[in-house]
Amino acid sequence: MGGALSLGLWHTLEAHRASMTLERLEQQALQLSSALEQKMDAYGELVYGMAVLGKSPESLSSPLLPQLNAQRYPGVEFLSLVRRMPSAVAGYEMADVWPTRSTDVWMGENAQNLEALTQLWARLPESLEPSMSEPFAVLGGDASPQRVVIGMPMWPASARSAAVHQGDILAMGLRADQLLEHFMARGGLEQGLVSIQDQGSASHRSATSRAPRLPIYVSDGWAQLPASAPKVQHELLVWGRIWSLEFAPQPQVLSALESAYPMIVGIGGLGATLVLAALVAVLSHQRLRAQFQTRVKHNLLRQQSDRLKALLHQSAIGVAEIEPGTGRYLSVNSRFSDVVGYDPKTLEMMDLYQILHPEERPEFQRLEGALAAGRLAHFTVTQRMVRADGSEVWTEVWVSPVVDNTGQSMGRQIVLLLDVTERQILQAQLHAREAYSSEMLRYMPVGLVVVGPSGNIEFVNHQFEVMTGWSQCDMADETTLWRLLCVDAMQHAALLQRLNAGRCEVVPTGVNMPAAEYLLRSKDGKELPIEVSGRFLGGRILLSFVDLSQRKAAEEEIRWLGFYDTVTQLPNRRLLLERLAEAVARCQRPGGGKGALLLLDIDNFKSLNETLGHQHGDALLRLVATRLSNCIAGQYTLARQGGDEFAVVLEDLPSEPLEAGRRAEQVGCAVLEALRTPFYLGAQDFHVTVSMGAVVFSGKSDTVEELLKRADLALYQAKSAGRDTLQFFDPSMQKAVSARVEMEKDMRLALERHEFDLYFQPQVQKDKVIGAEALLRWKHPVKGFISPSVFVPAAEESGLILPLGEWVLYAACRQLAQWAKDPQMAGLTMSVNVSPRQFYQPSFVEQVQQALRVTGAPPRMLELELTEGMLLADVEDTIRKMVQLKAMGVIFSLDDFGTGYSSLSYLKRLPLDKLKIDQSFVYEVLSSANDATIARSIIALGNSLGLQVIAEGVETEAQREFLASSGCHYWQGFLFSQPKPIAEFETWTRAYGAARSERSHV
């Protein structure tokens, strides 16, 4: 009872004493935290002000910092300008550390290699306010991290010192422990202890709980504080870092009497009770301790035994114990069993020699005998073993006797087994590759010579011997090598000087010796252009020799091919252009005279080439070239421009334009006359004529391109004039060509602007409209309507007929799809003219199929009009495409029948539906007996073939009656209607049908 009362009284007094202690400690902690925060803020503001004003440490004598001393700036060790290193050198360098007494600690690699400073320098360039590093220690300083640096990027734009540059940083170094000791010395924490730690960056506050805490300052005696000591914690945000301040009271916070009073009362009441309790506790503790130590020792022994067993069986190396001499297995681990392919129980009934390969046993027994005799402490051997399945495995075996602590043998041997099969395979592959590489090196298509460190020749491959004729036995050293290869002494000296210069350049850098071309001499005295290069390989030099003879010959051949024609051996177009440009330039000189360009084209050469074959065509070109060369007699430039075209450049013609033209005409006429003589080719004579275009130039404003264009226009005019003639360039030709170019340009724009339209002309059978022909019309926004006879040929020549024809096809199909929805128009077919170029496209069938599918037009109402000329080009392709389209339901008509030369045999093979009599026969059918006879023949032919015959160009009732009496009952022409836009055509068609209907009722 007395003890319980004493204990309760002691607890009450102890709680009161603890409350007083914490209250006094909180007051002192608040004062110290506030003073520390104000001082660190002041240092940061000082760095900020100097950085903004561009102050460097050399200006510290200014009024901004009158004196840097421990009293005014406690803890400050230095101010420094940290320079950004050049781009080739990573990092920063401290410069102008002030005061200079700090340089031995803060400058050099010591400060530059600190991770804390490296991180600070890295993030400062992006900062607009001072930032502080994490605590760190420097070489030569205290072991604990008690230093920090406050940094701020300099503002060069406002700097007044030339020493400040973009990227420089103003840094202030602080000793945090000195700063704390300054406050402690001034009574900042008289009766307490403090521990200050850095918790990390404030920007990563969520991660500060996981970041390691770095001590900044720890009071003496802090480590001896009991875990139950009362503590007060404060937290400061110091320039981007979080500092944790922890305060604890010293024993002398309260007076001696205040501190001892609870203890006196407690001790007095509990003294007797504690003496008895202590005696019982000591006895019980000794007994429990003995039991615990026994259990710990037992567990340790069992764990060690288990670890050894696990290590033995889980090892990547096979382990076995065997009897010396007999090789009988005493124990094996699982890896040993896996390697040899026997289970452990089977191995215990075997010995090591049974699994050794028969060829390996003698060597193993020899080593075993040396081990037993003590001549070897252990041995390692790589041998083959035979597995249980009969396969062989390469192993590396290590054998050693097992000895006790005294070094005496325990009658067992330990065997370590490692499966090295893959290593052996790799080594065999490596040896094979080395042999292959050596052989490949010897027979490489490049000559190779290896010069040893002392200048001796170590290796010469086969290609070098074949190339130069010199073998390794002919060359004792490098000097002899170059003496034999060089053409003369002067070249020998120059080559050695160049090689030595290359070596001096290559050796320090370790790169290849640059390749250079030399004229070297082979053993038979032949001079060879050879490219020599080298590479330094550990004191040796690998020289490579590449024979450039073939490449030089190829380059010469390429140069010749680039300027000359391979068939005729004449200058080609490229050389022609160069010589024509030179001729134009010479004409521009004073007194240079005039020149002329003649372009010749063999008439009908394509037909001859296709008839006789390209081989005869090339032979004819060679004969023509020979005759032209004889005619020109080397006075002028003769060239083959390409295909069957030749060109002649005349120079030094008279300055008078008429006289120059007359001279050019004389040369041209002489050429024409010379070529009229038959050529004997393939045991028969061939008559050849040429068309020739000529242009005279003076060089003043003439260009090569313009001259070629003019001569080509004159050549075109010569062909149009009947061939076998000479025509000079006429400006009207240029005008016609320009008009054609403008026409093509307008047609391209017309396609983009949708200026084309379809007009429709009805096709009539007796008193009803059965269909219409879609006719293309073009209304130019400036020139008005342009006749199809003008723009269609231009479209054919330029290739615009393809997009134009596709547009017509889609437009016609769209209109058919619209008519299909109108009962009065649904029975009309639509006839569409197809261009030969459009029809012969490989994708024409797919194009028609897609147009029908996209527009939804009925295929049976689409009629494609072909011309007779299309039948002469490729009849089989024409029939194939027509059959494919016919299978879709499309119908065909043969337009302008009678004007071409179509064969009747072809006509009966074509899947035609209609024949159209050309309007040229219909026009004079009443006045010309021939035209009437032709018209009757076409009608009779069509009817006999089961084809519908339509007459075009019916303009009078008399013409219609003649055709009807001859058996043609389908008409188209102005008698019925001119081509009309779609709206007018539909109105006319409905009115025509209604009128016929009323007439029939009457």
Side-chain angles (χ1 to χ4, degrees):
M1 180 65 72
L5 292 175
S6 298
L7 185 60
L9 180 60
W10 178 79
H11 274 295
T12 301
L13 295 175
E14 188 66 19
H16 178 67
R17 183 183 68 82
S19 176
M20 292 176 60
T21 300
L22 285 177
E23 183 177 355
R24 293 182 186 179
L25 181 64
E26 179 64 29
Q27 294 176 356
Q28 296 178 6
L30 185 60
Q31 292 175 359
L32 181 60
S33 299
S34 176
L36 179 60
E37 184 177 18
Q38 292 176 6
K39 181 58 72 174
M40 294 302 291
D41 287 345
Y43 286 163
E45 293 295 337
L46 176 61
V47 172
Y48 179 85
M50 292 184 67
V52 171
L53 295 177
K55 293 292 184 178
S56 61
E58 64 184 5
S59 62
L60 289 176
S61 59
S62 66
L64 188 63
L65 275 181
Q67 186 177 6
L68 187 66
N69 54 56
Q71 296 300 323
R72 186 176 179 88
Y73 301 102
V76 177
E77 279 196 307
F78 77 99
L79 278 172
S80 173
L81 180 64
V82 180
R83 291 193 181 282
R84 181 189 290 270
M85 299 297 288
S87 59
V89 181
Y92 291 79
E93 178 185 39
M94 285 190 176
D96 300 331
V97 178
W98 194 88
T100 56
R101 58 182 172 83
S102 302
T103 57
D104 55 339
V105 177
W106 290 93
M107 294 189 69
E109 292 185 359
N110 177 33
Q112 295 172 19
N113 295 334
L114 288 174
E115 184 179 358
L117 294 184
T118 303
Q119 295 175 357
L120 178 62
W121 306 150
R123 69 172 181 268
L124 272 177
E126 304 297 330
S127 177
L128 298 177
E129 63 177 10
S131 183
M132 187 173 68
S133 70
E134 66 182 32
F136 61 92
V138 297
L139 297 178
D142 297 338
S144 60
Q146 296 174 339
R147 287 176 167 82
V148 295
V149 171
I150 300 177
M152 173 70 184
M154 299 293 288
W155 289 18
S158 61
R160 299 176 182 143
S161 172
V164 178
H165 305 284
Q166 178 69 34
D168 291 349
I169 298 170
L170 182 64
M172 174 184 284
L174 298 174
R175 280 286 298 263
D177 52 343
Q178 291 182 358
L179 180 59
L180 265 296
E181 289 171 3
H182 170 76
F183 288 121
M184 300 291 285
R186 301 182 64 159
L189 191 65
E190 294 180 348
Q191 297 175 339
L193 303 176
V194 63
S195 172
I196 304 178
Q197 295 179 333
D198 183 281
Q199 289 187 317
S201 174
S203 60
H204 303 86
R205 191 177 183 90
S206 61
T208 54
S209 60
R210 300 188 300 271
R213 296 191 176 190
L214 302 177
I216 299 174
Y217 176 83
V218 180
S219 297
D220 296 335
W222 181 271
Q224 287 75 34
L225 287 174
S228 60
K231 296 177 182 178
V232 174
Q233 292 185 347
H234 281 223
E235 187 174 281
L236 299 181
L237 179 61
V238 184
W239 298 116
R241 307 293 296 184
I242 300 175
W243 283 10
S244 174
L245 286 70
E246 193 171 18
F247 300 88
Q250 291 184 351
Q252 63 271 25
V253 172
L254 302 178
S255 65
L257 181 60
E258 290 174 338
S259 300
Y261 185 71
M263 187 62 65
I264 294 173
V265 175
I267 291 174
L270 298 175
T273 304
L274 291 176
V275 171
L276 295 176
L279 181 60
V280 174
V282 168
L283 295 175
S284 300
H285 177 70
Q286 290 179 348
R287 182 175 181 274
L288 292 173
R289 183 176 181 182
Q291 294 176 348
F292 176 75
Q293 289 177 348
T294 301
R295 287 197 302 271
V296 167
K297 290 180 180 180
H298 177 73
N299 291 336
L300 286 175
L301 290 174
R302 186 175 60 187
Q303 290 175 3
Q304 290 177 355
S305 176
D306 293 342
R307 280 199 302 270
L308 288 175
K309 291 180 180 178
L311 181 62
L312 179 64
H313 290 283
Q314 296 179 8
S315 174
I317 300 176
V319 182
E321 280 187 308
I322 63 173
E323 287 184 351
T326 63
R328 187 176 66 83
Y329 294 103
L330 301 177
S331 64
V332 296
N333 69 345
S334 57
R335 178 57 182 167
F336 194 98
S337 300
D338 294 338
V339 172
V340 299
Y342 293 92
D343 60 82
K345 292 183 178 180
T346 303
L347 286 174
E348 290 177 359
M349 298 182 292
M350 300 173 62
D351 58 65
L352 180 61
Y353 298 103
Q354 290 179 268
I355 62 174
L356 285 175
H357 193 277
E359 296 178 1
E360 310 286 2
R361 291 173 187 168
E363 176 64 15
F364 191 90
Q365 291 173 345
R366 183 187 67 79
L367 295 173
E368 173 69 19
L371 183 66
R375 294 192 301 271
L376 294 175
H378 58 82
F379 68 86
T380 303
V381 64
T382 301
Q383 293 186 334
R384 289 170 293 171
M385 289 188 175
V386 181
R387 292 170 53 87
D389 57 3
S391 61
E392 296 181 1
V393 58
W394 281 95
T395 60
E396 185 175 294
V397 184
W398 182 84
V399 182
S400 175
V402 179
V403 297
D404 57 16
N405 294 335
T406 63
Q408 297 297 320
S409 175
M410 299 178 65
R412 297 190 303 274
Q413 289 179 343
I414 187 74
V415 178
L416 302 182
L417 186 70
L418 182 63
D419 186 352
V420 295
T421 304
E422 292 185 3
R423 187 178 73 185
Q424 291 295 114
I425 294 174
L426 291 176
Q427 286 179 350
Q429 293 175 350
L430 180 60
H431 292 323
R433 288 177 183 175
E434 288 177 350
Y436 172 76
S437 300
S438 177
E439 193 70 10
M440 182 178 62
L441 194 66
R442 180 166 185 81
Y443 290 98
M444 280 187 65
V446 177
L448 298 175
V449 175
V450 177
V451 181
S454 60
N456 59 307
I457 304 299
E458 294 185 349
F459 173 79
V460 173
N461 76 336
H462 178 71
Q463 180 62 25
F464 180 85
E465 296 176 351
V466 172
M467 183 192 312
T468 64
W470 303 106
S471 61
Q472 187 172 355
C473 60
D474 297 326
M475 302 170 293
D477 51 26
E478 185 182 9
T479 304
T480 307
L481 166 69
W482 297 120
R483 188 175 67 251
L484 294 175
L485 292 177
C486 291
V487 175
D488 50 37
M490 184 177 296
Q491 187 198 34
H492 183 202
L495 187 144
L496 289 180
Q497 182 180 1
R498 187 170 183 180
L499 286 175
N500 291 331
R503 290 176 182 174
C504 295
E505 180 181 351
V506 169
V507 169
T509 58
V511 297
N512 295 340
M513 187 167 65
E517 183 179 335
Y518 302 97
L519 189 63
L520 302 182
R521 179 178 55 199
S522 63
K523 193 172 184 178
D524 57 5
K526 185 178 179 181
E527 294 182 358
L528 304 172
I530 294 180
E531 183 182 78
V532 182
S533 61
R535 182 175 180 82
F536 289 83
L537 304 170
R540 290 174 172 79
I541 307 173
L542 174 62
L543 295 173
S544 62
F545 297 80
V546 180
D547 188 356
L548 304 180
S549 301
Q550 293 183 356
R551 192 177 77 183
K552 291 288 185 181
E555 289 175 354
E556 181 63 26
E557 183 179 359
I558 291 172
R559 191 196 69 80
W560 189 90
L561 291 174
F563 289 99
Y564 289 88
D565 176 50
T566 56
V567 177
T568 63
Q569 312 301 311
L570 294 177
N572 60 10
R573 177 180 174 83
R574 181 179 178 184
L575 187 55
L576 170 67
L577 296 179
E578 289 188 6
R579 292 189 178 177
L580 182 57
E582 293 172 358
V584 172
R586 280 191 289 269
C587 289
Q588 294 175 351
R589 299 171 186 170
K594 293 186 180 297
L597 174 63
L598 307 180
L599 285 186
L600 298 80
D601 183 84
I602 302 176
D603 297 329
N604 300 318
F605 178 77
K606 182 179 180 181
S607 299
L608 185 146
N609 202 24
E610 292 177 351
T611 303
L612 300 179
H614 292 283
Q615 183 177 0
H616 285 78
D618 291 345
L620 178 61
L621 289 175
R622 284 190 288 269
L623 292 175
V624 171
T626 302
R627 190 168 295 182
L628 286 174
S629 299
N630 295 333
C631 187
I632 299 301
Q635 299 179 8
Y636 308 110
T637 296
L638 172 64
R640 182 190 177 196
Q641 188 174 353
D644 57 345
E645 285 192 10
F646 295 86
V648 180
V649 180
L650 307 179
E651 296 186 64
D652 298 328
L653 299 181
S655 301
E656 179 64 31
L658 291 178
E659 186 63 26
R662 189 176 295 110
R663 288 280 300 277
E665 184 179 13
Q666 291 176 356
V667 175
C669 291
V671 169
L672 291 174
E673 186 63 29
L675 294 178
R676 289 190 181 106
T677 303
F679 291 92
Y680 187 75
L681 181 65
Q684 57 181 323
D685 291 337
F686 286 90
H687 292 270
V688 172
T689 61
V690 296
S691 299
M692 187 182 305
V695 59
V696 178
F697 58 87
S698 60
K700 294 181 180 179
S701 59
D702 300 316
T703 63
V704 173
E705 293 78 7
E706 189 65 27
L707 292 176
L708 288 172
K709 186 188 301 183
R710 294 174 183 175
D712 195 57
L713 289 173
L715 175 62
Y716 180 79
Q717 187 67 22
K719 286 186 175 293
S720 300
R723 307 175 188 269
D724 192 22
T725 184
L726 168 65
Q727 292 286 334
F728 278 85
F729 170 74
D730 187 352
S732 61
M733 301 179 191
Q734 185 67 40
K735 184 177 180 181
V737 171
S738 299
R740 180 62 58 87
V741 172
E742 184 179 359
M743 175 71 71
E744 292 178 9
K745 178 181 177 182
D746 289 346
M747 281 193 294
R748 295 182 191 276
L749 292 176
L751 280 171
E752 296 176 2
R753 298 171 180 173
H754 306 288
E755 296 175 2
F756 290 102
D757 197 4
L758 286 184
Y759 277 48
F760 301 89
Q761 188 173 33
Q763 296 173 341
V764 178
Q765 178 192 16
K766 296 183 179 179
D767 58 351
K768 66 177 181 178
V769 179
I770 62 170
E773 181 178 2
L775 301 171
L776 184 63
R777 294 293 183 266
W778 177 18
K779 186 176 182 181
H780 193 279
V782 177
K783 301 175 183 178
F785 279 101
I786 299 177
S787 172
S789 62
V790 175
F791 71 81
V792 170
E796 288 278 2
E797 281 191 29
S798 63
L800 287 173
I801 195 66
L802 297 179
L804 198 57
E806 185 177 4
W807 180 88
V808 170
L809 178 62
Y810 272 82
C813 289
R814 282 193 293 268
Q815 191 58 53
L816 275 177
Q818 293 292 327
W819 285 352
K821 303 175 184 177
D822 188 342
Q824 287 185 281
M825 310 295 291
L828 301 183
T829 61
M830 184 176 295
S831 177
V832 179
N833 291 281
V834 178
S835 164
R837 293 187 65 173
Q838 183 183 10
F839 185 82
Y840 289 128
Q841 287 186 103
S843 60
F844 177 71
V845 175
E846 290 77 9
Q847 186 181 101
V848 175
Q849 185 179 15
Q850 183 178 6
L852 292 171
R853 184 177 64 255
V854 171
T855 60
R860 69 182 184 282
M861 309 309 293
L862 177 63
E863 176 185 331
L864 299 181
E865 288 193 9
L866 309 180
T867 62
E868 280 191 274
M870 297 170 63
L871 305 181
L872 301 176
D874 190 344
V875 178
E876 299 302 326
D877 181 65
T878 302
I879 295 175
R880 180 180 57 81
K881 290 180 178 178
M882 291 179 68
V883 170
Q884 292 178 358
L885 292 171
K886 190 75 174 177
M888 301 178 195
V890 178
I891 60 179
F892 288 93
S893 64
L894 188 61
D895 193 16
D896 301 335
F897 185 72
T899 60
Y901 304 94
S902 58
S903 171
L904 295 180
S905 62
Y906 291 156
L907 192 63
K908 68 179 183 180
R909 292 176 58 194
L910 297 174
L912 292 171
D913 299 278
K914 300 179 182 180
L915 282 181
K916 298 189 75 173
I917 305 175
D918 186 69
Q919 60 183 354
S920 62
F921 301 121
V922 176
Y923 181 73
E924 296 183 355
V925 72
L926 299 176
S927 58
S928 173
N930 291 333
D931 288 350
T933 301
I934 292 174
R936 291 192 187 97
S937 300
I938 294 174
I939 295 171
L941 176 64
N943 292 333
S944 65
L945 294 176
L947 302 178
Q948 187 182 106
V949 182
I950 301 178
E952 293 182 309
V954 179
E955 299 182 355
T956 65
E957 182 64 26
Q959 292 173 344
R960 186 194 67 79
E961 290 177 355
F962 171 83
L963 293 169
S965 63
S966 299
C968 177
H969 304 289
Y970 301 92
W971 314 293
Q972 176 182 342
F974 285 1
L975 174 63
F976 307 99
S977 173
Q978 295 183 356
K980 297 178 180 293
I982 182 61
E984 296 181 14
F985 172 78
E986 291 179 347
T987 301
W988 181 91
T989 301
R990 291 186 175 92
Y992 184 84
R996 292 288 180 177
S997 177
E998 291 177 1
R999 194 176 305 168
S1000 63
H1001 287 303
V1002 172

